[in-house]
Amino acid sequence: MTTISPPIPCGCESGTYNLSGPHLGKMAGERLNLMPEEPDFTNPLFLPMFEIFDKVLQPDSELSVEDAVAQLVVLLPEGKPYSSEVGDFIGTCVEMADAIPYTHSSMLKLVSILDLCLHSDRFPEEVGSANIQTDPTLRSCKLAETMHHFWEGTCPEDGPAKYVNFNTFAARIHQRGLLKGAILAIGTLEDAFQRKLGKSQEQREAYVTAALQYLLLNGDIIYEDIRNDEKWKHSWPCWRNEVARLAARNLDDKRCLWSQEIVEMAGRTLTAMEGIERLKAG
């Protein structure tokens, strides 16, 4: 598997674009505001989970990932990885991801917490009793269903930063092996490069940033998934051509609407895509 470098954290907005939002322009050491705009207080697990996340995901947190996982898993029903409570837990993770800038180190911490919770002893894979769901695919199914539900309800029109943060989170859990297939990645890439969605430059850059994150973090996985797929195998060169056009933009040209961050990210993505093609061809 090709090793693809992650995006370089910038901690600031560059060029003419900042993904507008309260969640992207924070410096690495600044306290994160993780409370969702519309918290689900009908979910009895939300507040206890939020209190744990709000401690462990802060840059100056004294709560370790291991201790946070230990506190979180006891809130989940033992041996039931496909339960509604696990779905609520994953949904809370998504809400936290929405509020974490996509280059922030806490995004990786959140992915680790999700992984460790889903693969904890709380959900044994060996028969422990007649009520234990031991099929390890159940947790993957619940994660895939929940992530797809949130993906369908997320778009830059509702918040460019939130869209980028969510899709980076999805790309990272895909990179971690928690999500199988490339459905979310393909949909995001098609929205950005084929459908060219976005009514404003700010929205366009959000679509493109999310697409570039999937390619940077999961390009090799995406390539393998679609290379023999009659429906999607011709999409890769189309995406690469769009990325190449972005990477070739002249930032000194006043007619260039794309930010320096986008152009530089496209350059790194193009290098990664070409490396994947050479590796697979060899």
Side-chain angles (χ1 to χ4, degrees):
M1 183 177 293
T2 307
T3 300
I4 302 176
S5 300
I8 299 172
C10 57
C12 61
E13 301 86 4
S14 56
T16 59
Y17 178 60
N18 62 15
L19 282 177
S20 91
H23 302 316
L24 196 62
K26 288 182 176 292
M27 299 300 288
E30 186 177 344
R31 182 172 178 81
L32 297 169
N33 177 14
L34 298 174
M35 180 60 75
E37 294 179 2
E38 298 180 2
D40 183 11
F41 293 121
T42 63
N43 172 12
L45 294 180
F46 173 77
L47 278 179
M49 285 186 178
F50 175 79
E51 289 178 0
I52 298 168
F53 280 124
D54 197 40
K55 291 177 182 177
V56 71
L57 295 175
Q58 297 301 337
D60 59 351
S61 176
E62 296 181 359
L63 180 64
S64 69
V65 167
E66 292 75 15
D67 287 343
V69 169
Q71 294 176 28
L72 286 165
V73 294
V74 297
L75 300 174
L76 303 176
E78 186 174 5
K80 296 183 178 180
Y82 197 70
S83 63
S84 60
E85 290 88 348
V86 171
D88 290 338
F89 163 67
I90 296 169
T92 303
C93 288
V94 169
E95 290 183 303
M96 298 302 101
D98 288 346
I100 299 174
Y102 77 104
T103 58
H104 200 286
S105 60
S106 289
M107 184 70 78
L108 291 172
K109 188 184 291 188
L110 178 60
V111 172
S112 294
I113 291 170
L114 174 64
D115 189 0
L116 291 170
C117 284
L118 292 181
H119 291 89
S120 73
D121 293 339
R122 195 75 173 172
F123 307 116
E125 295 183 12
E126 296 180 2
V127 176
S129 77
N131 296 320
I132 296 293
Q133 300 174 16
T134 57
D135 186 346
T137 63
L138 288 175
R139 73 198 71 191
S140 299
C141 290
K142 176 59 72 173
L143 180 60
E145 289 173 6
T146 306
M147 290 300 296
H148 195 268
H149 168 76
F150 278 95
W151 183 85
E152 288 186 325
T154 303
C155 64
E157 288 77 1
D158 296 328
K162 177 180 175 181
Y163 179 82
V164 174
N165 297 342
F166 167 79
N167 279 287
T168 299
F169 176 65
R172 288 209 174 272
I173 62 176
H174 190 189
Q175 181 189 41
R176 190 102 170 193
L178 299 176
L179 275 180
K180 307 300 181 183
I183 295 176
L184 301 188
I186 290 172
T188 305
L189 286 158
E190 288 292 285
D191 283 349
F193 296 137
Q194 296 300 107
R195 302 183 187 98
K196 298 184 185 297
L197 298 183
K199 297 178 180 179
S200 67
Q201 182 63 14
E202 183 178 54
Q203 292 171 9
R204 284 286 301 127
E205 293 220 8
Y207 277 111
V208 169
T209 300
L212 294 177
Q213 288 300 294
Y214 278 108
L215 290 170
L216 277 168
L217 296 169
N218 301 307
D220 51 348
I221 302 173
I222 297 168
Y223 186 88
E224 277 297 322
D225 277 358
I226 69 172
R227 66 185 304 185
N228 296 316
D229 188 312
E230 288 299 321
K231 181 177 180 180
W232 296 113
K233 67 180 182 180
H234 301 297
S235 295
W236 179 271
C238 295
W239 299 335
R240 184 193 352 94
N241 290 341
E242 291 296 325
V243 172
R245 290 190 186 96
L246 281 172
R249 295 284 182 169
N250 181 3
L251 291 171
D252 293 327
D253 187 343
K254 294 182 179 180
R255 293 172 296 177
C256 178
L257 299 177
W258 298 96
S259 69
Q260 179 180 349
E261 185 175 349
I262 285 283
V263 173
E264 292 177 352
M265 193 187 306
R268 297 196 301 274
T269 304
L270 180 62
T271 299
M273 295 180 79
E274 291 174 341
I276 291 166
E277 292 171 11
R278 288 193 297 270
L279 181 66
K280 301 303 180 181

